[in-house]
Amino acid sequence: MDDTIVKKIAEIVGEDWVASDEDMIAGYLKDETVPSLVPECSQNSIVVKPADTQETAEVMKYANKNKIPVVPRGSGTGLVAGAVPTKESIILSTERLNNIKEVDTENFTATCGSGVTLEQLLERLNEEDNIFFPIHPGDEGATLGGMVINNAGGARAVKHGVMRNHVRGVEFVTPTGEVIQAGGKTLKNVAGYDLLHLIIGSEGTLGIITEVIVSVEPEPKHQATLLVSFENRQDAISAVPEIMKIGSKPLAVEYIERDMAEMAAEHLGENWPAEKGNVDLMIVLAEIEQDLLYDIAMKIETICQELGSVDSVIAERQEEQDSILTVRSNIDTATNKEDLADDVDAAVPPAYIDDFLSDLLEVYQEFGAKLSAYGHAADGNLHIYIYKEDGEVPEYYQELKKRFYETTLKYGGTIAAEHGIGKTKKEDMPMQISEYEINLMKNIKKVFDPNDIMNPDTIF
Ligand SMILES: Cc1cc2nc3c(=O)[nH]c(=O)nc-3n(C[C@H](O)[C@H](O)[C@H](O)COP(=O)(O)OP(=O)(O)OC[C@H]3O[C@@H](n4cnc5c(N)ncnc54)[C@H](O)[C@@H]3O)c2cc1C
């Protein structure tokens, strides 16, 4: 990048907080996307780390005036290349906005810099007696800013919804450098258009979140993790809607194929406790009374037995539960990404997950493709791979993906459940969203970002 620009930005944030050296920026040119995307023209980008909102706003004003692309970046755990620059850009990292300003145990909120990671927030909340933050995407390294801007979901959406349901307010710097406060600590707020919920899920295309106010919840004191095993995927998946009818929602209902669990366990040096059968449901229960928790666990075991489960294990000690969750969370990390052509993140209305998966299996069989799935079964949201063959993206890939999406949409589903559109799914978006709606979205972006500097090539 031009030296004058680097110098000017260094005047704003300080020399130590601008990196242009190839080695220093290499890690900022990619994220966790499959397959990894590192466009060559982005190599001359610079990484800029403002200390606060004021510096962020000044960087944005300068970038806007000089029409320099800006790519916001949290921890780079995104799976759709949202934080990956496609041209020479200012990569604006929020890593120094990492202050947990306040945990308000009266209003049940936490106010944090957008660069605070989920892990940091959870650690801080552990110091309090009785509260927790329920939203949990698989990688605790994700920042709160990244989670808000992607409207992250994760395993506990079944009981607690997604990020959108737990954000009360944000401080936000627009591409022209204005600072706005959207929302706040109140539970109700209908003053004007809801900018907060427009920003949530905007994938870094409308500006930069600098501060987040999230809702925290009273912590249910008793938690257990049930691992129920089945011989085959149909038996396991058909049990999920029935489990949801017992009256008290589990914290999570995850579907895990055994070979994937064992691969992740081996990768981590952990043990996967289920032995019989081939697929497992991981059901996390959290209740305020122990007796109630046991009662629900027994009901679930009975329902599953009636539907063909072959075994079940209950983990009550925290370490055992953490180990199971860690293995589940690391299926993606442990998977050799070189083997994958795509990792599809579709969702259907939860009650249709069984029929959807059966239809999809038929589609995969038509192509002679291998189907592996894991994920948030009770949300109707499974992560399903399309594999390479002999190290190459198979010729049928595009056609299989199209049929995959058609099957999803037939059930009233979505082609992008929680990872976003980013840079990798935008060609697919017209299958679900009309041209009129896409143009409406583009026009909204223009209002925020008249010079089109904000996260180019993302969503559109
Ligand atoms: C192992 C693993 C498991 C995962 N499991 C889940 C899951 O279960 N559910 C789920 O929803 N996601 C999951 N993810 C995806 C990922 O963790 C989330 O998308 C997360 O929200 C990204 O946060 P981040 O800080 O890493 O953002 P980044 O990857 O750095 O950025 C993601 C996007 O957000 C933008 N952005 C980041 N910070 C800001 C900001 N402050 N202001 C404006 N824009 C910003 C970037 O420009 C980019 O478009 C998983 C990822 C991994 C690696």
Side-chain angles (χ1 to χ4, degrees), residues 200-327:
I200 297 171
S202 61
E203 299 192 42
T205 59
L206 300 181
I208 295 177
I209 295 179
T210 46
E211 196 170 280
V212 177
I213 306 174
V214 291
S215 292
V216 293
E217 302 285 329
E219 186 164 24
K221 280 262 182 285
H222 303 280
Q223 187 174 312
T225 300
L226 250 179
L227 217 47
V228 187
S229 306
F230 296 81
E231 287 295 358
N232 59 59
R233 58 165 67 105
Q234 275 78 16
D235 284 355
I237 285 289
S238 63
V240 174
E242 300 310 313
I243 292 169
M244 297 311 293
K245 290 178 191 160
I246 61 165
S248 178
K249 281 185 182 172
L251 192 60
V253 181
E254 296 287 298
Y255 168 81
I256 306 160
E257 301 192 345
R258 184 70 52 74
D259 51 351
M260 291 175 133
E262 286 175 348
M263 179 244 340
E266 194 184 326
H267 173 77
L268 296 166
E270 295 273 347
N271 173 44
W272 186 249
E275 286 174 1
K276 289 190 188 155
N278 298 302
V279 294
D280 303 304
L281 292 179
M282 177 191 111
I283 303 153
V284 186
L285 301 172
E287 297 294 338
I288 47 171
E289 301 287 346
Q290 183 123 27
D291 288 352
L292 183 60
L293 185 138
Y294 285 141
D295 186 40
I296 295 166
M298 277 179 64
K299 280 188 181 145
I300 292 177
E301 280 183 326
T302 308
I303 287 172
C304 289
Q305 274 165 11
E306 285 167 7
L307 293 167
S309 69
V310 292
D311 201 7
S312 69
V313 177
I314 185 161
E316 291 181 76
R317 280 193 306 114
Q318 198 53 53
E319 307 86 76
E320 288 174 310
Q321 296 194 62
D322 289 348
S323 165
I324 294 172
L325 177 65
T326 308
V327 172

Side-chain angles (χ1 to χ4, degrees), residues 6 9-20 24 28 46-52 55 59 90-93 95-96 98:
V6 180
I9 300 285
E11 277 171 30
I12 300 172
V13 298
E15 256 176 39
D16 290 349
W17 306 110
V18 184
S20 54
M24 287 171 85
Y28 293 82
I46 57 172
V47 177
V48 179
K49 304 175 185 178
D52 54 27
E55 287 185 7
V59 172
I90 293 173
I91 301 169
L92 196 141
S93 165
E95 63 200 74
R96 290 173 74 211
N98 60 357

